[in-house]
Amino acid sequence: MTAQIELENVQKHYGTFHALKDIDLSIPKGQFVALVGPSGCGKSTLLRSIAGLERISSGTLSIEGTVVNDMPPRKRDLAMVFQSYALYPHMSVRDNLTYALRLKGVSKADRAKAAQEVAGVIGLQDLLDRKPKELSGGQRQRVAMGRAIIREPKAFLFDEPLSNLDAALRVRMRKEVRALHDRIGATSVYVTHDQIEAMTMADHVVVLQAGVIEQQGAPMALYERPANRFVAGFIGSPAMNFVPGVVTETGRGVRLDMPGAPEIATEIDAAPGRAVDVGLRPEHLAIGASHGTSFPVQVAAVEQTGSSCYLFTEGAPELLVTTDGTSALRAGAAIDLSIAPGQVHLFDPETGLSLRD
């Protein structure tokens, strides 16, 4: 598949600070790519570099086969949607949508037609005469997206566009943004610190840390086969548990560094006696022996959400266990835990790399 946006060995320095390191990324036309990672990881810098708002220090950045390293933003034909809606408060929705067309000298009749078409795409046909102050947060964000769509750019760049919205509206807007992407067949690059947004919206997720791409691929590929401990802990909610362990004599099992922990079968062949970090997702732990051999723990805290329950265990290392529905367990209760077969992740304690081939 031919790349529409391609970065090869891209570096970005701010003085002595190395913000982006050896970035290689290929984005095919029509793909929805999420750049995700903790604050300061370089995801917004990468997005702004694609847009031309930041100039890369070295490497090659191409759009549709043309190297654009020195091309100004206005000539790259990319549209950005920011965290801030940046709407003109004195203008109607119609005028906000068509402002860029007006600057290009597009006729009033053609601007009106374009506004009506885009309003239909974003579901604001009946609000074209309203001012931004008369709109909800979600409607304002849709106007900001419509303003980008009306330009018919080569790609859309989203810089944490939903972070100003409340939790319920963010969930709804996730669906709307993805549906909009599919409807117009756009190429989208989406920055977020929220891995749930990345997992639910993107075709391809890029996980960054300290300016480095730690892993990239389909969302479930990152969830099921994390390349290292950082990705394993970042992708998935709640986060993965990590417990020190030792590979058993068979090389096909591991024993947790926890009182009463049995040998746990693994799909990884490692050297007997090797120290490892064992990754256990909360949803792959079960109360009782439903997954096989169990081990005893004591409950330290219980959090009920209605649809699910979070159990925290006593001692170090603390484990988090998720169960469906509600639970009658309380702090201090003694329970047994078992681990789902084939759901044990092993990492090198020094490098953090996965031991899975």
Side-chain angles (χ1 to χ4, degrees):
M1 193 178 294
T2 304
Q4 185 173 29
I5 301 173
E6 185 145 23
L7 297 91
E8 298 179 273
N9 194 32
V10 165
Q11 317 280 339
K12 174 62 181 177
H13 296 269
Y14 295 101
T16 59
F17 178 63
H18 201 173
L20 296 176
K21 306 168 186 175
D22 303 314
I23 300 295
D24 290 311
L25 178 60
S26 182
I27 303 174
K29 182 176 177 60
Q31 192 172 62
F32 194 119
V33 175
L35 308 179
V36 66
S39 296
C41 70
K43 55 188 183 294
S44 289
T45 300
L46 178 53
L47 190 79
R48 290 171 62 83
S49 296
I50 294 172
L53 301 177
E54 299 282 358
R55 185 170 182 174
I56 63 174
S57 302
S58 62
T60 304
L61 172 57
S62 304
I63 300 175
E64 294 187 340
T66 300
V67 176
V68 299
N69 289 24
D70 300 317
M71 186 181 290
R74 59 186 175 82
K75 291 189 176 181
R76 297 191 185 192
D77 194 18
L78 304 174
M80 282 199 74
V81 179
F82 295 94
Q83 177 179 346
S84 170
Y85 315 129
L87 303 179
Y88 295 106
H90 63 288
M91 291 185 183
S92 66
V93 169
R94 178 182 287 101
D95 290 340
N96 267 285
L97 289 174
T98 60
Y99 185 68
L101 301 183
R102 179 181 169 189
L103 293 179
K104 287 182 178 181
V106 176
S107 70
K108 186 174 182 180
D110 287 342
R111 295 201 308 267
K113 181 181 178 182
Q116 198 65 45
E117 290 175 352
V118 170
V121 172
I122 60 177
L124 297 179
Q125 307 96 308
D126 299 328
L127 304 178
L128 284 170
D129 294 320
R130 291 195 184 182
K131 299 289 180 60
K133 66 180 180 181
E134 300 174 283
L135 304 177
S136 68
Q139 290 168 336
R140 292 178 196 174
Q141 192 56 271
R142 277 190 268 169
V143 175
M145 288 188 286
R147 186 175 52 190
I149 293 167
I150 206 166
R151 293 175 44 199
E152 299 183 348
K154 293 174 181 174
F156 295 93
L157 310 180
F158 296 91
D159 192 4
E160 302 204 47
L162 308 185
S163 58
N164 281 342
L165 306 179
D166 62 56
L169 188 52
R170 281 203 306 272
V171 172
R172 190 163 76 246
M173 287 300 295
R174 284 203 311 249
K175 177 175 174 288
E176 289 193 15
V177 173
R178 178 65 212 210
L180 181 61
H181 166 89
D182 293 337
R183 193 156 57 242
I184 63 181
T187 301
S188 300
V189 186
Y190 188 100
V191 162
T192 178
H193 65 277
D194 185 341
Q195 55 98 5
I196 296 297
E197 279 187 16
M199 293 284 288
T200 55
M201 296 172 69
D203 305 309
H204 189 87
V205 176
V206 180
V207 182
L208 292 109
Q209 181 190 31
V212 174
I213 294 179
E214 294 285 353
Q215 190 175 358
Q216 57 178 305
M220 289 309 298
L222 271 60
Y223 173 84
E224 293 171 350
R225 298 181 68 89
N228 55 45
R229 177 170 167 156
F230 174 78
V231 175
F234 193 85
I235 297 295
S237 181
M240 182 181 283
N241 298 292
F242 294 102
V243 183
V246 177
V247 178
T248 56
E249 292 77 7
T250 63
R252 301 287 293 180
V254 65
R255 192 176 300 278
L256 303 180
D257 185 13
M258 295 182 68
E263 178 176 339
I264 303 167
T266 73
E267 298 178 346
I268 301 168
D269 194 1
R274 177 176 183 171
V276 292
D277 284 341
V278 183
L280 304 169
R281 293 202 181 277
E283 58 270 29
H284 295 152
L285 294 170
I287 299 172
S290 58
H291 289 326
T293 308
S294 60
F295 59 98
V297 295
Q298 189 169 11
V299 176
V302 180
E303 293 182 355
Q304 308 270 11
T305 69
S307 61
S308 59
C309 178
Y310 301 148
L311 303 176
F312 299 86
T313 66
E314 288 277 11
E318 177 187 81
L319 296 178
L320 169 58
V321 184
T322 62
T323 64
D324 292 334
T326 59
S327 174
L329 291 172
R330 296 291 181 266
I335 60 173
D336 290 332
L337 292 181
S338 58
I339 300 166
Q343 299 295 347
V344 178
H345 300 264
L346 301 183
F347 303 94
D348 185 292
E350 294 184 3
T351 65
L353 294 177
S354 172
L355 300 181
R356 190 189 296 267
D357 293 335

